[in-house]
Amino acid sequence: MYIERQKTIHCSEVKEEGAKYEAISNSIPNVHDKTYRKILGNKTNATYVINRALNLTKPIEAEEIEQYTNRYITNEYTDKETDIVYKMKNKEIYFLIEHQSSVDYAMNFRLEEYKLEIMKSAIDKDKIKTKEYEVPTVIPIVLYTGKEKWTVRRKLSMVQDERLENLNLKQYNLIDIGKYQKEDLLKSDKYMDKIFLIEKFDNVEELRKILPKVEKQLAKEEKIDLISIIRANLKGKIGEEKVEELIKEMKGEGEDMLGCVEMVWEEGINKGMKEGMKEGRKEGIREGKKEGIREGKKIIISNMLKNGMSPKEIQEITKATKKEIIEAKESCEACT
């Protein structure tokens, strides 16, 4: 195997020395391109271009490659055609050769688009989710035969912020919370680190010990998110009943009720929409939805008042207006 599978894609270019082509009319570049497609349709010529562009220690032989489809259907265009695509026999390595007789500053974007379409056409959808499978490699080559200097960026990832210049933008960046120590996450004053910390616990008894320390570092709004994470992370491991018991033990006023905010609102919205649908009108559905939201919010505020929460605390959590709080208070006998 003369080319190892690439984890990143290298874009190379070949310039034709002493090019004498000149774009006199719109039709000439098309004829020019078609001529090059015919020339590069010959595997001997294609391997010469590939080897000259990549400068390999051991050249690729014509017998090692086969021509691959160069026509693709994309979402943006009805039909998309590249110049020439070759594939190495028995290997998922593809060479995309694009002929250019003029400078095109959209070239790096076009190549990325072509590259993705080639990969999509070649990928094994059954194996892609397995650890062993490697995504097809596409190596783009630009064959430039114009007279002007080629000044197009060689890669798409030219950043516009100097803080990011040293990043390897050819690979994705990873946060793996498994590498973080629980002790360090607990000491941190960052909210996201508390979420990461909760994600690392599978044992409910360990979590029960750590929760009081975490709660002291969080605002009321943040505790709502914390409850959602606990439910999502532990429900399938220890069962819904034990999860709810754990949540009830959490300190603070109204936490258990606050954990149901979204559920109550959703019920109110659905109820309002059903009423609107009975009317059979779009206006009815919209008004029903609005009414459902209002009613759901009123129930939540009433429950907060019953739990002894102050209007200021309710405003911070629900973003309710003073008028909404007053209306909820007036409609709640137990709140007076």
Short mmCIF file of all heavy atoms in Angstrom, two decimals, residues 70-112:
data_model
loop_
_atom_site.label_atom_id
_atom_site.label_comp_id
_atom_site.label_asym_id
_atom_site.label_seq_id
_atom_site.Cartn_x
_atom_site.Cartn_y
_atom_site.Cartn_z
N ASN A 70 -17.87 10.60 -11.48
CA ASN A 70 -17.56 11.98 -11.15
C ASN A 70 -18.81 12.86 -11.21
O ASN A 70 -18.73 14.07 -11.31
CB ASN A 70 -16.50 12.54 -12.11
CG ASN A 70 -17.01 12.61 -13.54
OD1 ASN A 70 -17.88 11.85 -13.93
ND2 ASN A 70 -16.45 13.52 -14.33
N ARG A 71 -19.98 12.22 -11.13
CA ARG A 71 -21.23 12.98 -11.20
C ARG A 71 -22.04 12.69 -9.94
O ARG A 71 -22.26 11.55 -9.57
CB ARG A 71 -22.03 12.58 -12.45
CG ARG A 71 -23.25 13.45 -12.69
CD ARG A 71 -23.93 13.05 -13.99
NE ARG A 71 -23.12 13.37 -15.15
CZ ARG A 71 -23.13 14.56 -15.76
NH1 ARG A 71 -23.88 15.52 -15.29
NH2 ARG A 71 -22.38 14.77 -16.80
N TYR A 72 -22.50 13.77 -9.28
CA TYR A 72 -23.20 13.62 -8.01
C TYR A 72 -24.42 14.53 -7.97
O TYR A 72 -24.44 15.62 -8.53
CB TYR A 72 -22.28 13.97 -6.83
CG TYR A 72 -20.98 13.24 -6.90
CD1 TYR A 72 -19.85 13.85 -7.45
CD2 TYR A 72 -20.87 11.92 -6.47
CE1 TYR A 72 -18.66 13.17 -7.54
CE2 TYR A 72 -19.68 11.23 -6.57
CZ TYR A 72 -18.57 11.86 -7.11
OH TYR A 72 -17.40 11.19 -7.22
N ILE A 73 -25.43 14.07 -7.27
CA ILE A 73 -26.62 14.88 -7.04
C ILE A 73 -26.52 15.46 -5.63
O ILE A 73 -26.34 14.73 -4.66
CB ILE A 73 -27.91 14.04 -7.16
CG1 ILE A 73 -27.95 13.33 -8.52
CG2 ILE A 73 -29.14 14.91 -6.96
CD1 ILE A 73 -27.98 14.28 -9.69
N THR A 74 -26.61 16.78 -5.52
CA THR A 74 -26.50 17.41 -4.21
C THR A 74 -27.80 18.15 -3.89
O THR A 74 -28.65 18.36 -4.75
CB THR A 74 -25.35 18.43 -4.19
OG1 THR A 74 -25.68 19.52 -5.06
CG2 THR A 74 -24.05 17.80 -4.64
N ASN A 75 -27.94 18.59 -2.64
CA ASN A 75 -29.12 19.33 -2.22
C ASN A 75 -29.18 20.70 -2.88
O ASN A 75 -30.24 21.20 -3.20
CB ASN A 75 -29.12 19.50 -0.69
CG ASN A 75 -29.30 18.18 0.01
OD1 ASN A 75 -29.91 17.27 -0.52
ND2 ASN A 75 -28.77 18.08 1.23
N GLU A 76 -28.01 21.32 -3.05
CA GLU A 76 -27.97 22.67 -3.59
C GLU A 76 -28.08 22.71 -5.11
O GLU A 76 -28.58 23.66 -5.68
CB GLU A 76 -26.66 23.36 -3.18
CG GLU A 76 -26.56 23.66 -1.70
CD GLU A 76 -26.19 22.44 -0.89
OE1 GLU A 76 -25.79 21.43 -1.51
OE2 GLU A 76 -26.33 22.49 0.35
N TYR A 77 -27.61 21.66 -5.76
CA TYR A 77 -27.59 21.65 -7.22
C TYR A 77 -28.26 20.38 -7.72
O TYR A 77 -28.15 19.33 -7.14
CB TYR A 77 -26.15 21.70 -7.75
CG TYR A 77 -25.35 22.84 -7.18
CD1 TYR A 77 -24.53 22.65 -6.07
CD2 TYR A 77 -25.43 24.10 -7.74
CE1 TYR A 77 -23.80 23.70 -5.54
CE2 TYR A 77 -24.70 25.15 -7.22
CZ TYR A 77 -23.89 24.95 -6.11
OH TYR A 77 -23.17 25.98 -5.58
N THR A 78 -28.95 20.52 -8.85
CA THR A 78 -29.59 19.36 -9.45
C THR A 78 -28.56 18.33 -9.87
O THR A 78 -28.72 17.13 -9.67
CB THR A 78 -30.42 19.77 -10.69
OG1 THR A 78 -31.33 20.79 -10.29
CG2 THR A 78 -31.19 18.58 -11.24
N ASP A 79 -27.46 18.83 -10.43
CA ASP A 79 -26.42 17.92 -10.92
C ASP A 79 -25.06 18.56 -10.68
O ASP A 79 -24.86 19.73 -10.94
CB ASP A 79 -26.63 17.68 -12.42
CG ASP A 79 -25.85 16.48 -12.92
OD1 ASP A 79 -25.23 15.82 -12.09
OD2 ASP A 79 -25.86 16.23 -14.13
N LYS A 80 -24.13 17.78 -10.16
CA LYS A 80 -22.80 18.31 -9.87
C LYS A 80 -21.77 17.36 -10.48
O LYS A 80 -21.85 16.15 -10.28
CB LYS A 80 -22.61 18.37 -8.36
CG LYS A 80 -21.49 19.29 -7.92
CD LYS A 80 -21.92 20.74 -8.00
CE LYS A 80 -20.89 21.65 -7.37
NZ LYS A 80 -21.27 23.06 -7.52
N GLU A 81 -20.82 17.93 -11.23
CA GLU A 81 -19.84 17.08 -11.89
C GLU A 81 -18.43 17.58 -11.60
O GLU A 81 -18.12 18.75 -11.78
CB GLU A 81 -20.08 17.07 -13.40
CG GLU A 81 -19.21 16.06 -14.12
CD GLU A 81 -19.57 15.98 -15.59
OE1 GLU A 81 -19.92 17.02 -16.17
OE2 GLU A 81 -19.50 14.88 -16.15
N THR A 82 -17.59 16.67 -11.11
CA THR A 82 -16.19 17.00 -10.92
C THR A 82 -15.45 16.71 -12.22
O THR A 82 -16.02 16.15 -13.16
CB THR A 82 -15.58 16.15 -9.79
OG1 THR A 82 -15.64 14.78 -10.19
CG2 THR A 82 -16.34 16.34 -8.50
N ASP A 83 -14.17 17.04 -12.29
CA ASP A 83 -13.40 16.76 -13.51
C ASP A 83 -13.10 15.26 -13.62
O ASP A 83 -13.64 14.57 -14.46
CB ASP A 83 -12.11 17.57 -13.53
CG ASP A 83 -12.36 18.99 -14.02
OD1 ASP A 83 -13.50 19.27 -14.42
OD2 ASP A 83 -11.43 19.80 -13.98
N ILE A 84 -12.24 14.76 -12.74
CA ILE A 84 -11.83 13.35 -12.80
C ILE A 84 -11.69 12.80 -11.39
O ILE A 84 -11.11 13.45 -10.51
CB ILE A 84 -10.46 13.20 -13.53
CG1 ILE A 84 -10.62 13.51 -15.02
CG2 ILE A 84 -9.90 11.80 -13.37
CD1 ILE A 84 -11.42 12.49 -15.80
N VAL A 85 -12.21 11.60 -11.17
CA VAL A 85 -12.03 10.91 -9.88
C VAL A 85 -11.52 9.50 -10.16
O VAL A 85 -12.10 8.77 -10.96
CB VAL A 85 -13.33 10.83 -9.07
CG1 VAL A 85 -13.09 10.12 -7.74
CG2 VAL A 85 -13.91 12.22 -8.83
N TYR A 86 -10.41 9.13 -9.49
CA TYR A 86 -9.88 7.78 -9.58
C TYR A 86 -9.89 7.14 -8.20
O TYR A 86 -9.78 7.83 -7.17
CB TYR A 86 -8.45 7.79 -10.12
CG TYR A 86 -8.38 7.88 -11.62
CD1 TYR A 86 -8.21 9.12 -12.25
CD2 TYR A 86 -8.48 6.74 -12.42
CE1 TYR A 86 -8.15 9.21 -13.64
CE2 TYR A 86 -8.41 6.82 -13.80
CZ TYR A 86 -8.26 8.05 -14.40
OH TYR A 86 -8.20 8.12 -15.77
N LYS A 87 -9.99 5.83 -8.19
CA LYS A 87 -9.98 5.07 -6.95
C LYS A 87 -8.87 4.02 -7.01
O LYS A 87 -8.65 3.41 -8.06
CB LYS A 87 -11.33 4.36 -6.76
CG LYS A 87 -11.41 3.44 -5.55
CD LYS A 87 -12.75 2.71 -5.55
CE LYS A 87 -12.89 1.79 -4.35
NZ LYS A 87 -11.86 0.74 -4.29
N MET A 88 -8.18 3.83 -5.90
CA MET A 88 -7.21 2.75 -5.85
C MET A 88 -7.94 1.42 -5.73
O MET A 88 -8.89 1.29 -4.94
CB MET A 88 -6.25 2.93 -4.65
CG MET A 88 -5.30 4.09 -4.81
SD MET A 88 -3.90 4.02 -3.66
CE MET A 88 -2.92 2.71 -4.39
N LYS A 89 -7.54 0.46 -6.52
CA LYS A 89 -8.21 -0.84 -6.53
C LYS A 89 -8.09 -1.51 -5.16
O LYS A 89 -7.02 -1.55 -4.56
CB LYS A 89 -7.60 -1.74 -7.61
CG LYS A 89 -7.86 -1.25 -9.02
CD LYS A 89 -7.20 -2.16 -10.06
CE LYS A 89 -7.46 -1.65 -11.47
NZ LYS A 89 -6.77 -2.50 -12.49
N ASN A 90 -9.23 -2.03 -4.69
CA ASN A 90 -9.30 -2.75 -3.41
C ASN A 90 -8.95 -1.89 -2.20
O ASN A 90 -8.63 -2.41 -1.13
CB ASN A 90 -8.40 -3.99 -3.43
CG ASN A 90 -8.74 -4.93 -4.58
OD1 ASN A 90 -9.91 -5.18 -4.85
ND2 ASN A 90 -7.72 -5.41 -5.26
N LYS A 91 -8.95 -0.56 -2.37
CA LYS A 91 -8.69 0.35 -1.25
C LYS A 91 -9.68 1.51 -1.32
O LYS A 91 -10.07 1.93 -2.41
CB LYS A 91 -7.26 0.89 -1.30
CG LYS A 91 -6.18 -0.16 -1.15
CD LYS A 91 -4.81 0.49 -1.14
CE LYS A 91 -3.70 -0.55 -0.96
NZ LYS A 91 -3.44 -1.33 -2.15
N GLU A 92 -10.06 2.03 -0.17
CA GLU A 92 -11.00 3.16 -0.13
C GLU A 92 -10.23 4.48 -0.16
O GLU A 92 -10.36 5.32 0.72
CB GLU A 92 -11.88 3.07 1.12
CG GLU A 92 -12.85 1.91 1.11
CD GLU A 92 -13.82 1.97 -0.07
OE1 GLU A 92 -14.35 3.07 -0.35
OE2 GLU A 92 -14.03 0.93 -0.72
N ILE A 93 -9.39 4.64 -1.19
CA ILE A 93 -8.61 5.86 -1.39
C ILE A 93 -8.97 6.42 -2.77
O ILE A 93 -8.91 5.72 -3.78
CB ILE A 93 -7.10 5.59 -1.33
CG1 ILE A 93 -6.74 5.04 0.06
CG2 ILE A 93 -6.30 6.86 -1.61
CD1 ILE A 93 -5.30 4.59 0.18
N TYR A 94 -9.35 7.70 -2.78
CA TYR A 94 -9.85 8.34 -3.99
C TYR A 94 -9.02 9.58 -4.32
O TYR A 94 -8.62 10.33 -3.42
CB TYR A 94 -11.32 8.73 -3.81
CG TYR A 94 -12.22 7.55 -3.53
CD1 TYR A 94 -12.29 7.02 -2.24
CD2 TYR A 94 -12.96 6.96 -4.54
CE1 TYR A 94 -13.09 5.91 -1.97
CE2 TYR A 94 -13.77 5.87 -4.28
CZ TYR A 94 -13.83 5.35 -3.00
OH TYR A 94 -14.61 4.25 -2.74
N PHE A 95 -8.78 9.79 -5.61
CA PHE A 95 -8.04 10.96 -6.08
C PHE A 95 -8.99 11.82 -6.91
O PHE A 95 -9.50 11.38 -7.94
CB PHE A 95 -6.84 10.54 -6.92
CG PHE A 95 -5.86 9.66 -6.18
CD1 PHE A 95 -5.88 8.29 -6.37
CD2 PHE A 95 -4.95 10.21 -5.29
CE1 PHE A 95 -5.00 7.47 -5.68
CE2 PHE A 95 -4.06 9.40 -4.61
CZ PHE A 95 -4.08 8.02 -4.79
N LEU A 96 -9.22 13.03 -6.45
CA LEU A 96 -10.07 13.98 -7.16
C LEU A 96 -9.17 14.98 -7.87
O LEU A 96 -8.41 15.71 -7.23
CB LEU A 96 -10.99 14.69 -6.15
CG LEU A 96 -11.67 15.98 -6.60
CD1 LEU A 96 -12.61 15.72 -7.78
CD2 LEU A 96 -12.43 16.61 -5.44
N ILE A 97 -9.23 15.01 -9.19
CA ILE A 97 -8.40 15.92 -9.97
C ILE A 97 -9.28 16.98 -10.61
O ILE A 97 -10.16 16.66 -11.41
CB ILE A 97 -7.60 15.17 -11.07
CG1 ILE A 97 -6.81 14.01 -10.46
CG2 ILE A 97 -6.67 16.14 -11.79
CD1 ILE A 97 -6.11 13.14 -11.50
N GLU A 98 -9.05 18.23 -10.24
CA GLU A 98 -9.82 19.35 -10.78
C GLU A 98 -8.93 20.22 -11.65
O GLU A 98 -7.91 20.75 -11.18
CB GLU A 98 -10.40 20.18 -9.64
CG GLU A 98 -11.66 19.62 -9.02
CD GLU A 98 -12.85 19.69 -9.97
OE1 GLU A 98 -13.18 20.80 -10.45
OE2 GLU A 98 -13.43 18.63 -10.25
N HIS A 99 -9.31 20.39 -12.91
CA HIS A 99 -8.56 21.26 -13.81
C HIS A 99 -9.08 22.68 -13.70
O HIS A 99 -10.28 22.92 -13.70
CB HIS A 99 -8.68 20.79 -15.26
CG HIS A 99 -8.13 21.79 -16.22
ND1 HIS A 99 -8.93 22.52 -17.08
CD2 HIS A 99 -6.85 22.20 -16.45
CE1 HIS A 99 -8.18 23.32 -17.79
NE2 HIS A 99 -6.91 23.15 -17.43
N GLN A 100 -8.15 23.65 -13.58
CA GLN A 100 -8.51 25.07 -13.52
C GLN A 100 -7.66 25.86 -14.51
O GLN A 100 -6.44 25.76 -14.49
CB GLN A 100 -8.28 25.62 -12.12
CG GLN A 100 -9.40 25.34 -11.13
CD GLN A 100 -10.69 26.04 -11.49
OE1 GLN A 100 -11.71 25.36 -11.65
NE2 GLN A 100 -10.68 27.35 -11.63
N SER A 101 -8.33 26.63 -15.35
CA SER A 101 -7.59 27.49 -16.29
C SER A 101 -7.66 28.94 -15.84
O SER A 101 -7.08 29.82 -16.47
CB SER A 101 -8.17 27.36 -17.70
OG SER A 101 -9.55 27.65 -17.70
N SER A 102 -8.37 29.21 -14.73
CA SER A 102 -8.43 30.55 -14.16
C SER A 102 -8.47 30.44 -12.64
O SER A 102 -8.83 29.39 -12.09
CB SER A 102 -9.67 31.30 -14.67
OG SER A 102 -10.86 30.61 -14.29
N VAL A 103 -8.12 31.53 -11.98
CA VAL A 103 -8.11 31.54 -10.51
C VAL A 103 -9.54 31.53 -10.00
O VAL A 103 -10.38 32.32 -10.44
CB VAL A 103 -7.36 32.79 -10.00
CG1 VAL A 103 -7.47 32.89 -8.47
CG2 VAL A 103 -5.91 32.75 -10.44
N ASP A 104 -9.82 30.63 -9.08
CA ASP A 104 -11.16 30.50 -8.50
C ASP A 104 -11.03 30.50 -6.98
O ASP A 104 -10.56 29.55 -6.38
CB ASP A 104 -11.82 29.20 -8.98
CG ASP A 104 -13.24 29.04 -8.45
OD1 ASP A 104 -13.69 29.91 -7.66
OD2 ASP A 104 -13.89 28.05 -8.80
N TYR A 105 -11.49 31.60 -6.32
CA TYR A 105 -11.33 31.72 -4.88
C TYR A 105 -12.34 30.89 -4.09
O TYR A 105 -12.27 30.84 -2.86
CB TYR A 105 -11.41 33.20 -4.47
CG TYR A 105 -10.19 33.97 -4.92
CD1 TYR A 105 -10.23 34.79 -6.04
CD2 TYR A 105 -8.99 33.83 -4.24
CE1 TYR A 105 -9.11 35.47 -6.47
CE2 TYR A 105 -7.85 34.50 -4.67
CZ TYR A 105 -7.91 35.32 -5.78
OH TYR A 105 -6.78 35.97 -6.20
N ALA A 106 -13.24 30.26 -4.81
CA ALA A 106 -14.17 29.34 -4.14
C ALA A 106 -13.67 27.90 -4.21
O ALA A 106 -14.37 26.98 -3.80
CB ALA A 106 -15.56 29.43 -4.79
N MET A 107 -12.44 27.71 -4.71
CA MET A 107 -11.95 26.37 -4.97
C MET A 107 -11.90 25.50 -3.71
O MET A 107 -12.32 24.33 -3.74
CB MET A 107 -10.56 26.44 -5.61
CG MET A 107 -9.91 25.08 -5.88
SD MET A 107 -10.97 23.96 -6.86
CE MET A 107 -11.06 24.87 -8.41
N ASN A 108 -11.39 26.03 -2.61
CA ASN A 108 -11.28 25.18 -1.41
C ASN A 108 -12.66 24.73 -0.91
O ASN A 108 -12.81 23.61 -0.45
CB ASN A 108 -10.49 25.88 -0.30
CG ASN A 108 -10.89 27.31 -0.10
OD1 ASN A 108 -12.02 27.69 -0.35
ND2 ASN A 108 -9.95 28.12 0.35
N PHE A 109 -13.65 25.61 -1.04
CA PHE A 109 -15.00 25.21 -0.65
C PHE A 109 -15.56 24.17 -1.61
O PHE A 109 -16.18 23.19 -1.19
CB PHE A 109 -15.93 26.43 -0.62
CG PHE A 109 -17.36 26.08 -0.36
CD1 PHE A 109 -17.79 25.76 0.93
CD2 PHE A 109 -18.28 26.03 -1.40
CE1 PHE A 109 -19.11 25.42 1.17
CE2 PHE A 109 -19.60 25.69 -1.16
CZ PHE A 109 -20.02 25.38 0.13
N ARG A 110 -15.34 24.38 -2.91
CA ARG A 110 -15.84 23.42 -3.91
C ARG A 110 -15.24 22.04 -3.68
O ARG A 110 -15.93 21.02 -3.76
CB ARG A 110 -15.49 23.91 -5.31
CG ARG A 110 -16.41 24.99 -5.85
CD ARG A 110 -15.93 25.49 -7.19
NE ARG A 110 -15.69 24.39 -8.12
CZ ARG A 110 -14.90 24.49 -9.19
NH1 ARG A 110 -14.25 25.61 -9.43
NH2 ARG A 110 -14.74 23.47 -9.99
N LEU A 111 -13.94 22.01 -3.39
CA LEU A 111 -13.29 20.72 -3.16
C LEU A 111 -13.85 20.01 -1.94
O LEU A 111 -14.01 18.80 -1.94
CB LEU A 111 -11.77 20.92 -3.01
CG LEU A 111 -11.02 21.34 -4.28
CD1 LEU A 111 -9.57 21.65 -3.95
CD2 LEU A 111 -11.11 20.26 -5.35
N GLU A 112 -14.14 20.78 -0.89
CA GLU A 112 -14.74 20.19 0.30
C GLU A 112 -16.11 19.60 -0.04
O GLU A 112 -16.48 18.52 0.45
CB GLU A 112 -14.88 21.24 1.40
CG GLU A 112 -13.57 21.68 2.03
CD GLU A 112 -12.90 20.55 2.80
OE1 GLU A 112 -13.61 19.77 3.45
OE2 GLU A 112 -11.66 20.46 2.74
#
